Amino acid sequence: MAISKYWVPELNPAIYGLSLDENVKSGYSLNDLAEQLRLIYCGPTAIEFMHINNMEERQWLAQNFENIIAEELRKEEIVRIGNLMLKCENFDRFLATKFPTLKRYGAEGAESMFAFFSELFEGSAEKSVEQIIIGIAHRGRLNLLTQLMEFPPVHMFRKIKGRTEFPETADASGDVLSHLVSSFDYKGAEGNVHVTMLPNPSHLEAVNPVAMGKARARAWSMSKGDYSPDERSARTGDGVLNVLVHGDGAFSGQGVVWESIALSQAPHFRLGGTVHLVTNNQIAFTAESSVGRSSTHCTDIAKAFEYPVIHVNGDHPEEVVKATRLALAYRERFRNDVFVNLVCFRRWGHNELDDPTFTSPVMYKEVESRESVPRLFLDRMIDEGLTTEEAVKEELKNHTEQLNNELKKVDSTAPVNISHRGSWEGFKQAPKAIESWDTGVATDLLRFIGAGSVKVPEDFDTHKHLYKMHIDSRLSKMQSGEGIDWATAEAMAFGSILLEGNDVRISGQDVGRGTFCHRHAMMVDQSTDQIHIPLNELVEKQKNQLEVANNLLSEEAILGFEWGFSSENPRRLCVWEAQFGDFFNGAQIIIDTFVASAESKWLTSSGLTMLLPHGFDGAGPEHSSCRMERFLQNCDSREDQSPVDGENVNMRVANPTTSAQYFHLLRRQVVPNYRKPLIVVGPKILLRHPKAASRIDEFGPGTTYRNVISEDVASAGNIKKVIFVSGKHWIAVEKSRDERGLKDSVAIVRVEMLCPFPVVDLQAVFKKYPAAQEFVWSQEEPRNAGAWSFVRPRFENALGVRLKFAGRKELAWTATAIGEQHTKEAEEVINQTFA
């Protein structure tokens, strides 16, 4: 046999010092064997798995790859794929004809991706998957929605014509066409599976960790996998499948991809394997692969995590089906991530109005000369007698007629509110009012929770330091009801939330212990490393649990994961704590596109709580400020808010100064029948400061979060000057005021809730001090940071009060790291305050 012209070096026996004609079996030479291997591994489907260290996985992949690609699809499967791709192509052409200026981000050139989805839905049902969570960008999204996910085309046409996707009663702005979503029940031959496509922003790959978080949260809601009561037989990934669809350019370039895959096997984040589809157009916006990455394949990142990659030629839809089967079978067997690299092309530019020949003329000469993938597949079907040209034309005619009928219904069809369904049933959007909710708890129950939060088994080898400084100290506080610190208040909040039928999850870097060694929600046996979480054993057979998720050093993927987690079920408090406040910087994309705007864009609610340690204490530029000004700028609060009209803000920003305030903030996240993200300007020195400690009656029935804390003075009529502060700065201001002998003439008011801005509470303050003539806003942050730029126009426009400013001068960085300079600046701020 002659050596094949498709020879690859690895299959040349000569490079191993062997003869081409050497026999390996009666009648077979090494050359024959090499040719057989070429036919198996160098055809339209190939696989990479030799980078995997686990021998069992490698053997399984080799055997099953060879078996699956040798299978022939049944005739009905081929017909189903052909008809599906025909409709997808016709849908793109219909949109191009009816809406020629529309950026639809069609699937033309990648139509075989629908063979992947068709097999994915059917195969998942066969493997007892009950829920599929999909994160996908724009390419082919509209086709998937209408042709497989039962999204009514009329609603898509409404959106194209400029109509809103939400009813007028919804407080939302909507999003672009390519971010629409759907959720439906796929009825397969072997069972049903519920499929959910998540909303996504235009920041590519940002949806990846969000989908992962939602998938793990769904497993908790279903008591599956890691959350199953049957620990012996349950496996991570049972019942819920996460599917992520990537573009080749973004997959190679976006750092969140690495961060997300790094979570795939981490405790408290693992999903039992995500199925990844890379729609490999071989070009990003205008960057071809030669400039778009440094690796051979766009999927080479998978090798770092020892996950298999199945490469498949998009011109062969039937091979895509086989690749999907192998991916599902591998995921089912080993519960690891698996990647399908769909090598295809993009018929047009980044969108249909873009001309790709400006930058890729050679590539697009080739593209323009190609027949479409569905047409080539249908021609093969006709040749094999599986269909006829007449049947194809009839199918096209009927599909086009259906689309035309949907288009005609646009004016007579009203939008449908699809928010707050499923686990969100009974919840709603927040009212346009700043409400006060009773978040107090019976003090006897709080004492029980406080004591239980430090209870350990008799044979547990507890760290000696914790006995005195944590366990004994907390028990003493529970007995006296005095000096309740921040961590104790948090434990009482978590415990009460658990006993009221809600779950709690807190994640972050070292949240179990706490960055400042204050929390100790989980204790570690000093002899065995065994972890004990006392709040999970408050009562016998406790139903609701606290999940303490110490996570890897990631911000964007982690915060995206936690936002997705929080959006799945409102009866769950989800908390993310940054190691230091400004570490959220790495997750700015998630904050802008999900935390701050998801409800307005997609009517997707979340009660995610972000704890951001903040405080100017000489720690330097990266450990002082949580950049509260950025969050306040992201809020949609009005500067001229009317106390009568109120406002429904997109998220709340609070700066609590006592442990009781923090307790009420946390409980406020689960008590109402609506959810809002909460940004907590968290403490550092206040964690243990005696002035931040509270009495147990401040947590009791009838108590609530106080948006504003003003001083109760006997001679309120003698107050001539009012100093407004926010956060721990009030301690320094109060100390200086008292030292200056100004207690009878100067009042200090703490603004504990920044957004929504507490107009009514502040109006009461001005009535309380009728003789006051001077009003100062004092902050430790620079003038171009902190709350100043947010509160100033609201004091002026909503309250009619002009404030003087006292604080650090404008800085390009947040704080100095030089001790003497820090002390000097702090003194100057105080002097300005009392000037």
Side-chain angles (χ1 to χ4, degrees):
M1 178 186 291
I3 296 177
S4 169
K5 63 180 179 180
Y6 301 107
W7 199 268
V8 293
E10 290 85 351
L11 295 181
N12 186 348
I15 71 171
Y16 306 105
L18 300 173
S19 168
L20 296 176
D21 298 321
E22 185 174 334
N23 289 330
V24 293
K25 191 177 181 181
S26 178
Y28 285 91
S29 66
L30 279 175
N31 194 49
D32 296 328
L33 176 61
E35 179 64 11
Q36 183 63 26
L37 289 172
R38 183 193 67 79
L39 292 174
I40 295 172
Y41 287 97
C42 302
T45 308
I47 186 169
E48 293 183 279
F49 61 85
M50 292 304 292
H51 54 276
I52 299 173
N53 285 319
N54 187 299
M55 180 62 73
E56 180 189 358
E57 287 187 43
R58 293 210 305 266
Q59 291 176 337
W60 186 96
L61 285 164
Q63 179 179 348
N64 283 272
F65 175 78
E66 294 176 12
N67 291 340
I68 287 178
I69 66 168
E71 294 177 356
E72 296 291 335
L73 299 191
R74 300 192 307 272
K75 291 181 180 180
E76 57 269 25
E77 292 175 324
I78 296 174
V79 171
R80 184 182 72 203
I81 295 169
N83 287 338
L84 177 59
M85 290 197 303
L86 176 66
K87 290 179 179 179
C88 288
E89 180 182 49
N90 189 51
F91 179 76
D92 274 325
R93 292 180 175 177
F94 181 88
L95 292 182
T97 301
K98 299 295 184 180
F99 309 99
T101 60
L102 175 68
K103 297 178 182 179
R104 65 182 186 276
Y105 303 101
E108 291 151 298
E111 289 94 345
S112 56
M113 69 188 297
F114 300 105
F116 167 87
F117 283 112
S118 178
E119 181 61 29
L120 177 82
F121 295 166
E122 189 65 36
S124 296
E126 293 173 1
K127 290 176 171 54
S128 300
V129 171
E130 299 173 40
Q131 299 274 342
I132 296 177
I133 308 295
I134 298 177
I136 181 175
H138 44 280
R139 178 76 55 207
R141 186 184 185 100
L142 304 187
N143 310 65
L144 178 59
L145 284 169
T146 56
Q147 305 310 312
L148 268 176
M149 294 193 63
E150 299 183 0
F151 187 90
V154 61
H155 289 298
M156 189 169 291
F157 297 147
R158 277 180 48 85
K159 182 67 177 174
I160 294 173
K161 284 179 168 287
R163 316 288 174 81
T164 178
E165 61 265 45
F166 302 126
E168 293 182 359
T169 54
D171 188 2
S173 60
D175 199 0
V176 298
L177 175 70
S178 55
H179 297 169
L180 292 175
V181 299
S182 180
S183 181
F184 84 114
D185 290 317
Y186 177 83
K187 297 177 174 57
E190 300 296 327
N192 300 339
V193 58
H194 188 75
V195 184
T196 301
M197 179 192 288
L198 298 189
N200 70 295
S202 293
H203 286 72
L204 298 177
E205 308 295 334
V207 75
N208 296 356
V210 173
M212 295 170 67
K214 183 141 188 169
R216 184 167 175 96
R218 185 65 53 86
W220 197 351
S221 295
M222 298 167 60
S223 298
K224 294 282 188 177
D226 287 353
Y227 302 101
S228 172
D230 188 358
E231 296 181 3
R232 290 187 176 182
S233 62
R235 298 178 65 200
T236 305
D238 284 351
V240 183
L241 172 63
N242 185 50
V243 178
L244 297 178
V245 184
H246 317 274
D248 53 314
F251 190 74
S252 300
Q254 291 294 320
V256 70
V257 172
W258 179 280
E259 290 186 34
S260 299
I261 301 174
L263 292 174
S264 58
Q265 295 297 335
H268 309 291
F269 296 90
R270 60 191 183 187
L271 304 176
T274 291
V275 175
H276 301 260
L277 173 68
V278 180
T279 309
N280 187 353
N281 300 308
Q282 304 177 70
I283 188 171
F285 196 145
T286 62
E288 295 183 35
S289 58
S290 59
V291 297
R293 61 177 181 266
S294 299
S295 59
T296 302
H297 300 292
C298 62
T299 50
D300 282 346
I301 187 176
K303 297 178 185 178
F305 298 92
E306 298 187 34
Y307 293 144
V309 181
I310 308 165
H311 303 274
V312 59
N313 189 327
D315 285 348
H316 298 265
E318 71 279 16
E319 298 300 321
V320 176
V321 171
K322 297 176 186 179
T324 309
R325 286 179 181 170
L326 180 62
L328 284 173
Y330 171 82
R331 189 264 181 188
E332 176 68 14
R333 174 68 177 80
F334 295 102
R335 298 301 166 102
N336 287 333
D337 285 29
V338 58
F339 295 76
V340 176
N341 179 23
L342 177 65
V343 184
C344 52
F345 64 94
R346 191 181 67 195
R347 174 66 67 181
W348 313 108
H350 176 65
N351 60 68
E352 290 73 16
L353 306 184
D354 183 44
D355 185 354
T357 62
F358 286 128
T359 51
S360 302
V362 175
M363 173 185 283
Y364 273 85
K365 284 179 182 177
E366 179 68 24
V367 170
E368 289 170 4
S369 68
R370 294 174 63 90
E371 183 59 88
S372 76
V373 174
R375 184 67 253 183
L376 290 174
F377 192 73
L378 288 166
D379 286 344
R380 284 171 20 215
M381 287 175 58
I382 292 172
D383 292 342
E384 295 172 10
L386 298 178
T387 189
T388 63
E389 189 63 43
E390 290 73 22
V392 171
K393 290 180 180 179
E394 184 66 21
E395 188 71 32
L396 279 173
K397 176 185 174 183
N398 292 338
H399 186 242
T400 303
E401 184 177 346
Q402 175 195 349
L403 293 175
N404 273 315
N405 290 336
E406 291 287 300
L407 183 58
K408 292 175 183 177
K409 296 190 294 185
V410 165
D411 292 334
S412 60
T413 302
V416 178
N417 190 346
I418 60 173
S419 67
H420 300 106
R421 293 183 176 180
S423 61
W424 285 82
E425 195 73 37
F427 286 75
K428 62 179 184 178
Q429 286 193 280
K432 291 182 180 295
I434 301 178
E435 297 183 329
S436 178
W437 289 75
D438 182 354
T439 46
V441 177
T443 54
D444 286 344
L445 179 58
L446 291 176
R447 293 180 194 273
F448 170 79
I449 294 170
S453 69
V454 291
K455 186 177 181 180
V456 295
E458 291 183 3
D459 59 348
F460 194 84
D461 187 3
T462 306
H463 195 288
K464 294 179 180 179
H465 178 75
L466 292 184
Y467 267 121
K468 179 179 179 181
M469 304 306 295
H470 181 64
I471 297 176
D472 291 346
S473 173
R474 184 166 295 180
L475 291 174
S476 175
K477 290 168 185 174
M478 290 299 96
Q479 291 176 356
S480 68
E482 301 287 339
I484 297 174
D485 63 356
W486 214 269
T488 303
E490 180 184 82
M492 294 193 303
F494 285 175
S496 63
I497 290 170
L498 292 170
L499 296 181
E500 289 173 354
N502 305 282
D503 294 311
V504 179
R505 174 182 166 95
I506 182 169
S507 81
Q509 295 157 14
D510 196 29
V511 292
R513 186 201 72 168
T515 298
F516 306 101
C517 203
H518 68 288
R519 179 174 290 119
H520 299 291
M522 52 172 274
M523 299 188 203
V524 181
D525 189 295
Q526 298 300 294
S527 301
T528 65
D529 269 355
Q530 179 185 352
I531 291 174
H532 174 65
I533 301 177
L535 285 174
N536 285 337
E537 299 181 16
L538 291 173
V539 295
E540 189 176 351
K541 296 181 179 179
Q542 185 171 314
K543 179 180 179 182
N544 296 92
Q545 296 287 295
L546 164 66
E547 183 170 26
V548 181
N550 287 329
N551 59 247
L552 52 87
L553 295 176
S554 156
E555 279 79 40
E556 182 175 0
I558 293 294
L559 189 61
F561 192 100
E562 299 307 326
W563 187 90
F565 210 107
S566 70
S567 70
E568 196 275 334
N569 193 322
R571 295 171 178 84
R572 187 177 293 140
L573 174 64
C574 294
V575 180
W576 177 72
E577 181 177 66
Q579 196 170 53
F580 286 91
D582 65 346
F583 284 16
F584 78 85
N585 275 332
Q588 192 65 56
I589 288 175
I590 300 298
I591 293 166
D592 290 345
T593 60
F594 289 97
V595 177
S597 58
E599 184 177 6
S600 179
K601 291 188 296 186
W602 313 314
L603 278 181
T604 302
S605 295
S606 162
L608 178 65
T609 298
M610 295 174 60
L611 304 181
L612 307 177
H614 173 94
F616 284 58
D617 46 24
E622 277 80 50
H623 294 85
S624 297
S625 175
C626 76
R627 294 286 193 177
M628 71 175 81
E629 63 274 7
R630 294 184 183 174
F631 292 95
L632 292 170
Q633 186 184 43
N634 260 346
C635 292
D636 58 1
S637 170
R638 292 169 48 195
E639 292 184 0
D640 59 346
Q641 176 201 151
S642 165
V644 177
D645 297 336
E647 60 180 355
N648 174 21
V649 296
N650 58 327
M651 58 184 179
R652 299 190 301 142
V653 181
N655 197 354
T657 56
T658 72
S659 61
Q661 286 283 83
Y662 178 51
F663 169 89
H664 290 297
L665 264 184
L666 293 176
R667 287 189 47 78
R668 176 73 163 70
Q669 285 297 90
V670 296
V671 171
N673 58 346
Y674 54 83
R675 295 288 179 265
K676 290 286 182 181
L678 170 64
I679 314 302
V680 180
V681 181
K684 292 187 289 184
I685 67 166
L686 293 186
L687 292 172
R688 297 180 176 88
H689 200 290
K691 292 190 74 65
S694 302
R695 303 181 313 276
I696 198 164
D697 60 281
E698 296 178 76
F699 303 83
T703 57
T704 187
Y705 188 79
R706 294 186 287 171
N707 297 321
V708 173
I709 298 178
S710 60
E711 295 179 305
D712 292 321
V713 294
S715 54
N718 295 328
I719 297 297
K720 304 300 181 183
K721 182 175 185 176
V722 179
I723 301 172
F724 294 93
V725 298
S726 188
K728 63 103 171 170
H729 182 52
W730 73 274
I731 296 176
V733 174
E734 183 184 76
K735 180 175 181 291
S736 180
R737 180 200 63 179
D738 295 351
E739 289 175 348
R740 295 167 188 249
L742 299 175
K743 190 171 184 179
D744 292 334
S745 60
V746 177
I748 300 172
V749 176
R750 288 176 266 167
V751 181
E752 305 270 301
M753 180 64 71
L754 293 167
C755 183
F757 191 65
V759 173
V760 174
D761 300 270
L762 288 169
Q763 285 178 329
V765 169
F766 292 113
K767 292 179 180 178
K768 185 175 183 178
Y769 308 120
Q773 298 176 342
E774 185 180 359
F775 305 98
V776 177
W777 178 267
S778 183
Q779 64 179 41
E780 58 183 355
E781 298 84 7
R783 189 183 185 104
N784 61 333
W788 169 244
S789 60
F790 182 82
V791 301
R792 179 184 180 183
R794 285 161 179 78
F795 267 94
E796 292 183 3
N797 298 326
L799 295 166
V801 175
R802 185 175 294 274
L803 296 172
K804 294 180 180 179
F805 174 79
R808 284 174 167 82
K809 67 179 182 179
E810 293 83 352
L811 290 176
W813 60 98
T814 58
T816 181
I818 302 171
E820 290 183 359
Q821 180 67 22
H822 168 76
T823 302
K824 181 181 178 181
E825 290 177 354
E827 291 174 353
E828 289 177 354
V829 171
I830 293 298
N831 290 334
Q832 290 176 35
T833 302
F834 293 98

